[in-house]
Amino acid sequence: MKKYWYVLNVGIQNNLTYRFNFLARTIYGFLLLIAVLYIWRTIYSGKGPEAMIGTYTLAEMISYYLVTTIVDALTAVNEDDWQIAADIKDGNISQFVLKPIDYLVYRLFLFFSGRATYLAVAAAPLAIFVLCLRQYFVLPPNLTTFGFFLVSTMLTALLQFFISYTMAMLAFWVLEVSTFIFILFAFEYIASGHMFPLDILPANVVRVLQFTPFPYQMYFPVSLYLGKISQQDMLLGLLVQASWVAAAYGLARFMWLRGLKRYSAVGG
């Protein structure tokens, strides 16, 4: 494991070189968040102080987006899929085929280095932002719920990475994967609960989405934090989320092995 911890250390140092980019991305994310929160406050303003939309009060709705921002900072895949696709197209993966380094684990540690760097840069402004909205910020019901939330967030990070890694593997077959990545991102943004809580959608739509991995990329951990999920459903949800992580990992491994056969054939 020493070589992968070295990769993590080098990845953090490389990412710190572009810390201004991380800060600019954080500020841009806050501007979008402010716009969304302003829209929801306007929606609630005409409904009275105890108004609810779905099962959410104004405080819970604002907390939903604040926790979403925190989870996104810990789990989002930014440029990893583009870099993986570039490694394949440029032939850089040849060195990993010839050396005793697992490319998936190598990229996973680089992903963690990027998240650690982003969190280090974004932690202070994020804390200030939450502090300014503390009157709306809802804490988890108990420590058990918070512990489950942390476990779910880690599973979310792995699920995000393995899905993005699998999409990047398409570079073995097509010259440009950007279209596929953009389509997946757009669908994820809605179906995962980034844009709004999924339980304000019609019940039939929510039931269909529950058969996909998308709710477990954002909606599930955030709902878990807010206490919207019973303890029995927490355990079942974590089991389902872990199953999706295992399935995404297996698919990522399968795509890599299949892609290597094609890569070897093209490379002679």
Side-chain angles (χ1 to χ4, degrees):
M1 290 293 295
K2 279 187 177 181
K3 54 192 174 187
Y4 297 115
W5 287 115
Y6 177 76
V7 169
L8 180 66
N9 183 45
V10 172
I12 291 175
Q13 294 180 33
N14 289 339
N15 283 311
L16 284 174
T17 305
Y18 304 100
R19 53 187 175 274
F20 178 77
N21 292 347
F22 284 104
L23 183 60
R25 188 178 299 164
T26 302
I27 294 173
Y28 174 73
F30 285 160
L31 291 177
L32 292 179
L33 178 59
I34 290 171
V36 170
L37 295 184
Y38 180 79
I39 290 172
W40 280 108
R41 289 186 66 176
T42 303
I43 293 173
Y44 276 90
S45 64
K47 296 181 178 293
E50 302 299 325
M52 297 183 70
I53 294 180
T55 61
Y56 295 85
T57 63
L58 174 59
E60 288 175 330
M61 188 65 77
I62 291 178
S63 290
Y64 180 91
Y65 285 99
L66 291 175
V67 178
T68 295
T69 302
I70 294 171
V71 173
D72 194 55
L74 293 170
T75 66
V77 177
N78 288 323
E79 298 180 356
D80 298 79
D81 39 14
W82 303 102
Q83 293 172 2
I84 294 169
D87 279 347
I88 295 172
K89 289 190 296 182
D90 298 341
N92 294 331
I93 63 167
S94 297
Q95 58 184 314
F96 298 99
V97 176
L98 300 174
K99 295 178 181 178
I101 296 180
D102 188 317
Y103 185 69
L104 186 148
V105 178
Y106 165 79
R107 291 302 321 186
L108 181 61
F109 272 76
L110 285 181
F111 165 68
F112 285 142
S113 72
R115 291 301 84 211
T117 306
Y118 182 81
L119 185 61
V121 174
L126 181 59
I128 294 172
F129 196 83
V130 171
L131 187 63
C132 292
L133 293 170
R134 62 187 179 278
Q135 70 270 29
Y136 298 110
F137 194 66
V138 176
L139 295 175
N142 49 61
L143 289 177
T144 301
T145 299
F146 184 67
F148 284 153
F149 163 73
L150 294 179
V151 173
S152 180
T153 300
M154 175 58 70
L155 292 174
T156 294
L158 294 173
L159 183 59
Q160 297 256 42
F161 172 78
F162 291 140
I163 290 177
S164 295
Y165 183 93
T166 301
M167 290 298 297
M169 291 295 102
L170 293 175
F172 281 116
W173 289 272
V174 297
L175 292 176
E176 187 55 62
V177 299
S178 59
T179 301
F180 299 99
I181 292 174
F182 277 127
I183 291 173
L184 178 65
F185 174 78
F187 192 77
E188 278 181 348
Y189 196 76
I190 299 174
S192 66
H194 272 85
M195 185 173 289
F196 46 74
L198 295 182
D199 52 355
I200 68 174
L201 293 172
N204 290 335
V205 176
V206 176
R207 278 195 289 270
V208 171
L209 289 175
Q210 286 175 345
F211 290 98
T212 72
F214 300 115
Y216 299 94
Q217 292 181 268
M218 183 58 67
Y219 171 74
F220 177 73
V222 176
S223 297
L224 199 156
Y225 175 92
L226 294 176
K228 297 292 184 180
I229 301 174
S230 66
Q231 188 166 351
Q232 181 179 358
D233 290 338
M234 284 182 195
L235 295 174
L236 178 61
L238 286 173
L239 180 60
V240 173
Q241 189 179 26
S243 299
W244 278 116
V245 171
Y249 171 78
L251 183 59
R253 287 292 189 188
F254 173 77
M255 292 287 286
W256 169 259
L257 293 175
R258 294 285 295 183
L260 278 184
K261 291 181 180 180
R262 182 177 180 85
Y263 180 77
S264 298
V266 172

